[in-house]
Amino acid sequence: MSAEEERALSPRDEEWPEAEKAEKLARGAALKWASGVFYRPEKLEGLGQYRSRETQRNNSIQSRLKSTVQSYLEGVSAGLEQLRSAAQEVQNVCQDLGAARWALFDSADRFQGLQQMRALMAEHVQLASVVQVLPQLFSVHEVFSHTLQLLHGQHLLEAHAELMMMEHLRDDILSQLHLRGLSSAQTTVLSYFGGLQELNESLAKQLWDIVGSSLRLVREDPVLFVTAVRIIEREEKIDDTLLLEAAYLPPGRPKGWKQKFYQVLRETITGAHFHATRTDAEGPGLARHLAALQKDIVSELRVVKDLMVQCVPAHYNILSVCTATYHQALTSHFQDILREDLDKQALFLLLEWALRVYHSPEMMGHPDLLPEVDVSALGPLMSPELVDQTERKYVVKVKASVLEWMQRTLEVEFKEWFREEEPETDHQGFFQSALPVIVMQMLNENIQVASLITDSLQQKVYNMALEELEAFLGRLREALVQCGKEHQKDRTVPKYYVSYLLAMLNNNLALSSSVSSLHPDAARREVPASLRAALDRTQKKACQLLLEELLLDLQPLCLQLPSRKWLSGSQLVSSMCEVIDKYAKDFSRVRKPIFTLLLTESELLVASQYLRALMQKKMVCKSEEERSQLCDRLLQDATQLRELFCSLGLDGSQQSLEAVFALRELISLKDPALLSLEVLGFITKYPDVSDEHVSTLLDLRGDVSKEVRHMVLEMMAQHPQVLPENYRPIFSTILVPAPELPFCLRKGKCA
């Protein structure tokens, strides 16, 4: 390219850099296409065809471009022409506006006279308005009188129409005065229309009387109630309109008669049923009161649902309002009643009524009320906290009643112990009384009654029943102790002392076997540890009194041994066996577990008393012959006693009389030097033996030297014994008399 061409192109390149870039891209694309098409020599033969085809396509594109550019230029030319004409028209308008402005400036003085005409025109309009309402203003008091007559004749719709007309007239005048800032004149207008206040109050009084009698009117004459509702609706619409649109709110607005309608309806319902005379806090009176409430509420809600709903607009939700009113009034009423000191029957009635009756088909779930009446969304009639508090009050009252009843039962039972006849027997001949049946029936009935309310109340009553039963067992033990004291004073009183103690053991066993049935949950019928311990203490106390009675009969016999007469073969143990056999026959009137226990304890008592008698240091063997006689007597006595208890059903391995046989072996030992080994075996078998016991037994032999005694006691010190876990102690209950202290002076009379 020549220098001139480059200079000729450079301005265009500077002005259109995009064109140069596009041309370069096009040349690059063309070269890429050509290299791809003609990369083989044989393809060059079609070069002419490609050239002619591309030439035709370029010519076509150029022709389309020319036509497009041509149409674009024609549009630009037309637009420029329109802009020229518009500019000319704007210039003409500006000239006309300037002329009009100068004309207005020339006429400004003439407009000053129009200002007075405008003021006169406004005054004329006001006077015309006043002249228009003058007839109505002059007739205001006449309309007041007529409206009052209509109200007295209960033509409420006509009276309300005239009242609205008068209020509209007054409010229109007051609004005009307010807009013009003439507040001083408003007082005069209000004074002139002062009768409206009286009419409003008179109408309102009649309306609220009608609303207060609405439940009766909708059944007898619904027209009057419907009229009252229509008037209230009119006033409600006027209130809404004024609140939304009016710039000035007239005096007495908004009236809020719809809210007053609800208020009067609620007060009527509440006053009719819940603000009467003081409710009887006793069970029967409260039951009648609740029954009347149930009947009246269901009846009145049926009237509301079937009749009143048709007399009021749907948006009043009159059935829901009445239902909520009854619900809230009942809630407050129950709270007021619960502030009184109620008996247990009254508390039960309130709980049953609130938790069961209220939602049942007999009341709020009545078929005639469903499904429109739904109190589930109103919350519980009694809050969970109030229910819990009431349940606790009920449990306290029931507890007092149970305590009183149990005390009375115990007093009757205590008196029966002193009767001149034996206690009752069952079909198996076991002694018993009505005590366990009465106690369990009373507790079970209270638990079952509580189950009619809630599980929580049942559980509370169950816990209370166990506590009271445990306390009752404590008082029963005290009564047994008191009876025992009376018997100690005179063993002929009570006459059948042993029989009634045996009856108490059977009663205690009956209570122990039936107390688990009190639990509400059959799968968890377990007796609490404290109650089980109380039952055990009662059983032990009765057994203790029986054993004390047996001991009183055995003691005179035990005091006679050991003695020389006893060694020579007296019938002392035979007499003991007769006493034991007599008591065993009495013991057979108790059931087997207790009978076995009494036999076991009796055998232990006999063995311990026998051993205690031997250790009272009443006798010392003076010769080997006496020791032999003592051993023979011990063998005969222990054998006779053991055979007696075996015949009564007590296994020999369970008897404590084996200690007598072991003691006999200790005394029958020929060589005192071997006593250490014999005593070691003895204390191993009976680890509760003390040094004093062994020393007393050695004294009984009469042939033990001080050296042997010292050796035996030293051996015991070297072999201390530990009581096994299930060991039944026998020697630890035996007290050994204290040894006599040596005295240095000879016996003689005091100087």
Side-chain angles (χ1 to χ4, degrees):
M1 182 179 295
S2 62
E4 291 79 3
E5 290 177 347
E6 291 179 357
R7 285 194 297 270
L9 290 174
S10 59
R12 184 192 64 184
D13 294 342
E14 292 176 359
E15 293 180 4
W16 306 98
E18 293 84 358
E20 181 182 0
K21 185 176 180 181
E23 184 177 355
K24 290 180 179 180
L25 290 174
R27 288 181 180 277
L31 288 173
K32 186 176 180 181
W33 174 81
S35 62
V37 172
F38 301 109
Y39 69 94
R40 290 183 182 179
E42 58 269 20
K43 294 291 184 176
L44 295 175
E45 296 178 358
L47 181 61
Q49 296 178 358
Y50 282 111
R51 181 180 296 169
S52 61
R53 188 173 63 188
E54 290 299 321
T55 301
Q56 292 176 1
R57 191 174 72 172
N58 288 335
N59 293 335
S60 175
I61 291 172
Q62 288 179 2
S63 63
R64 288 199 300 272
L65 286 172
K66 288 180 180 180
S67 63
T68 300
V69 171
Q70 183 64 32
S71 62
Y72 173 74
L73 291 175
E74 290 176 356
V76 170
S77 177
L80 291 173
E81 187 62 31
Q82 291 176 358
L83 287 173
R84 289 193 196 96
S85 63
Q88 185 63 39
E89 291 177 359
V90 168
Q91 186 176 2
N92 294 335
V93 169
C94 289
Q95 292 176 358
D96 294 340
L97 287 174
R101 186 182 296 109
W102 288 110
L104 285 173
F105 288 153
D106 293 341
S107 304
D109 296 336
R110 302 173 186 175
F111 291 142
Q112 297 296 329
L114 294 177
Q115 198 69 18
Q116 298 176 357
M117 186 176 290
R118 184 181 294 109
L120 290 173
M121 185 63 184
E123 185 178 356
H124 175 74
V125 171
Q126 293 176 10
L127 292 174
S129 299
V130 172
V131 170
Q132 188 177 0
V133 299
L134 277 178
Q136 299 177 18
L137 288 173
F138 289 141
S139 64
V140 163
H141 295 287
E142 182 181 350
V143 174
F144 284 171
S145 300
H146 184 250
T147 303
L148 194 59
Q149 292 176 3
L150 291 175
L151 288 175
H152 291 161
Q154 286 196 336
H155 301 290
L156 301 183
L157 285 176
E158 295 86 343
H160 184 249
E162 293 192 358
L163 182 62
M164 285 195 302
M165 181 184 67
M166 290 296 99
E167 285 184 340
H168 179 71
L169 176 61
R170 180 201 65 182
D171 296 345
D172 186 52
I173 295 173
L174 290 174
S175 177
Q176 294 295 328
L177 294 174
H178 175 74
L179 291 175
R180 286 164 177 77
L182 302 174
S183 57
S184 59
Q186 292 182 6
T187 305
T188 304
V189 175
L190 290 174
S191 176
Y192 186 76
F193 285 92
L196 281 177
Q197 181 67 24
E198 180 184 353
L199 292 176
N200 264 304
E201 292 175 356
S202 179
L203 176 60
K205 183 178 183 304
Q206 293 198 38
L207 290 179
W208 309 143
D209 290 342
I210 292 170
V211 174
S213 306
S214 55
L215 290 172
R216 176 181 59 82
L217 289 175
V218 294
R219 286 178 289 188
E220 299 175 359
D221 183 17
V223 175
L224 200 57
F225 178 68
V226 172
T227 299
V229 173
R230 289 180 62 187
I231 292 173
I232 292 170
E233 274 293 282
R234 287 179 183 175
E235 291 294 338
E236 193 69 15
K237 289 180 180 178
I238 294 173
D239 283 348
D240 293 342
T241 302
L242 289 174
L243 289 172
L244 290 175
E245 300 177 2
Y248 170 74
L249 199 61
R253 291 289 179 181
K255 292 184 179 180
W257 279 7
K258 183 178 179 180
Q259 295 302 319
K260 183 66 175 179
F261 168 84
Y262 289 138
Q263 179 184 345
V264 171
L265 188 61
R266 293 189 183 100
E267 290 175 353
T268 301
I269 292 173
T270 305
H273 302 292
F274 307 105
H275 288 169
T277 56
R278 181 177 178 271
T279 305
D280 190 355
E282 299 296 327
L286 184 61
R288 290 190 296 270
H289 174 67
L290 294 177
L293 277 180
Q294 178 181 346
K295 179 182 177 182
D296 293 345
I297 290 174
V298 172
S299 175
E300 291 176 4
L301 282 177
R302 290 170 65 182
V303 171
V304 174
K305 174 178 174 291
D306 298 335
L307 300 176
M308 188 179 288
V309 168
Q310 303 175 17
C311 300
V312 298
H315 65 267
Y316 272 53
N317 295 321
I318 193 67
L319 182 57
S320 298
V321 170
C322 290
T323 303
T325 301
Y326 283 116
H327 184 85
Q328 294 165 3
L330 280 171
T331 300
S332 301
H333 189 51
F334 271 37
Q335 292 174 356
D336 293 338
I337 294 176
L338 286 170
R339 293 188 182 97
E340 303 289 336
D341 185 17
L342 305 177
D343 59 14
K344 68 173 184 178
Q345 184 181 358
L347 292 169
F348 178 83
L349 284 171
L350 290 175
L351 288 170
E352 181 187 31
W353 208 86
L355 301 177
R356 300 293 181 191
V357 176
Y358 185 65
H359 298 277
S360 69
E362 285 76 24
M363 196 171 176
M364 290 306 191
H366 197 284
D368 293 344
L369 301 179
L370 297 177
E372 288 83 356
V373 174
D374 183 14
V375 295
S376 60
L378 300 177
L381 197 61
M382 294 173 63
S383 65
E385 294 79 11
L386 185 59
V387 169
D388 182 70
Q389 180 182 353
T390 306
E391 287 180 352
R392 294 182 185 279
K393 287 183 180 179
Y394 174 76
V395 172
V396 169
K397 296 293 183 180
V398 173
K399 181 177 180 179
S401 175
V402 169
L403 176 60
E404 179 183 358
W405 190 268
M406 282 186 167
Q407 188 63 33
R408 194 178 307 154
T409 303
L410 184 57
E411 291 172 358
V412 173
E413 185 73 17
F414 186 79
K415 291 179 181 179
E416 287 187 354
W417 295 345
F418 293 86
R419 293 193 307 172
E420 293 296 322
E421 55 185 22
E422 288 188 335
E424 301 175 0
T425 58
D426 61 7
H427 65 284
Q428 295 178 320
F430 297 126
F431 288 134
Q432 65 174 11
S433 71
L435 178 70
V437 175
I438 294 173
V439 170
M440 295 306 298
Q441 182 178 358
M442 175 174 48
L443 297 179
N444 189 58
E445 285 178 357
N446 280 288
I447 293 172
Q448 293 303 318
V449 168
S451 68
L452 301 176
I453 306 299
T454 60
D455 293 339
S456 64
L457 179 60
Q458 186 181 19
Q459 187 64 40
K460 288 186 180 73
V461 174
Y462 169 74
N463 294 335
M464 178 276 299
L466 296 187
E467 293 173 0
E468 285 305 302
L469 181 57
E470 184 176 344
F472 172 77
L473 290 172
R475 294 192 296 273
L476 179 60
R477 289 194 301 275
E478 294 175 359
L480 289 174
V481 172
Q482 182 63 30
C483 183
K485 291 179 179 179
E486 296 292 332
H487 185 68
Q488 287 177 0
K489 296 176 183 177
D490 183 359
R491 294 193 67 191
T492 62
V493 178
K495 182 177 180 180
Y496 296 98
Y497 176 68
V498 173
S499 299
Y500 278 101
L501 286 177
L502 296 173
M504 278 299 101
L505 284 171
N506 283 326
N507 290 342
N508 191 74
L509 187 62
L511 288 173
S512 179
S513 60
S514 58
V515 69
S516 60
S517 63
L518 294 176
H519 201 290
D521 188 357
R524 297 174 53 197
R525 290 185 170 177
E526 53 187 19
V527 181
S530 60
L531 180 56
R532 193 183 304 112
L535 290 166
D536 291 342
R537 287 193 296 270
T538 304
Q539 176 180 294
K540 289 178 180 178
K541 177 54 67 177
C543 290
Q544 177 188 349
L545 293 175
L546 283 170
L547 294 174
E548 288 176 356
E549 188 70 5
L550 172 61
L551 180 60
L552 288 175
D553 288 341
L554 289 177
Q555 273 183 341
L557 300 174
C558 292
L559 290 174
Q560 300 179 31
L561 54 88
S563 63
R564 298 290 187 276
K565 182 180 179 181
W566 166 67
L567 282 178
S568 61
S570 68
Q571 298 297 318
L572 191 61
V573 173
S574 298
S575 301
M576 292 176 63
C577 289
E578 291 177 1
V579 173
I580 295 168
D581 187 61
K582 171 182 173 295
Y583 275 90
K585 290 179 180 178
D586 291 334
F587 293 166
S588 65
R589 309 297 290 273
V590 294
R591 297 187 179 276
K592 188 173 182 180
I594 309 300
F595 174 73
T596 304
L597 175 63
L598 286 174
L599 273 184
T600 304
E601 294 298 325
S602 299
E603 190 272 339
L604 178 61
L605 175 66
V606 171
S608 63
Q609 289 301 313
Y610 191 90
L611 292 171
R612 178 180 284 108
L614 292 176
M615 295 185 183
Q616 296 306 307
K617 299 182 179 181
K618 294 181 180 179
M619 189 184 79
V620 176
C621 295
K622 297 180 179 180
S623 63
E624 185 176 349
E625 182 181 356
E626 279 192 357
R627 281 195 297 275
S628 178
Q629 288 180 348
L630 176 61
C631 291
D632 292 341
R633 176 51 58 191
L634 291 176
L635 179 61
Q636 291 176 11
D637 291 352
T639 302
Q640 187 177 356
L641 290 170
R642 182 173 63 180
E643 290 176 353
L644 172 63
F645 281 106
C646 287
S647 66
L648 294 175
L650 187 62
D651 189 4
S653 62
Q654 300 177 354
Q655 296 183 22
S656 301
L657 287 167
E658 291 297 324
V660 180
F661 290 98
L663 179 62
R664 174 188 171 277
E665 295 295 329
L666 189 62
I667 296 176
S668 65
L669 187 65
K670 300 294 184 180
D671 186 3
L674 300 176
L675 278 173
S676 295
L677 294 176
E678 192 68 27
V679 170
L680 179 59
F682 187 78
I683 65 174
T684 302
K685 189 173 182 179
Y686 300 100
D688 61 331
V689 172
S690 65
D691 296 351
E692 291 79 7
H693 293 138
V694 173
S695 181
T696 303
L697 293 176
L698 295 179
D699 290 340
L700 184 60
R701 282 181 58 94
D703 63 343
V704 180
S705 64
K706 292 182 179 180
E707 291 77 11
V708 173
R709 182 189 302 271
H710 178 72
M711 182 174 58
V712 170
L713 296 178
E714 186 177 359
M715 180 274 302
M716 291 182 65
Q718 293 174 358
H719 297 83
Q721 302 296 315
V722 179
L723 295 180
E725 184 176 354
N726 297 323
Y727 177 74
R728 290 185 66 197
I730 180 171
F731 287 96
S732 59
T733 61
I734 299 174
L735 297 179
V736 178
E740 294 184 1
L741 295 176
F743 199 68
C744 60
L745 298 178
R746 292 181 298 172
K747 295 181 180 180
K749 294 182 180 180
C750 294

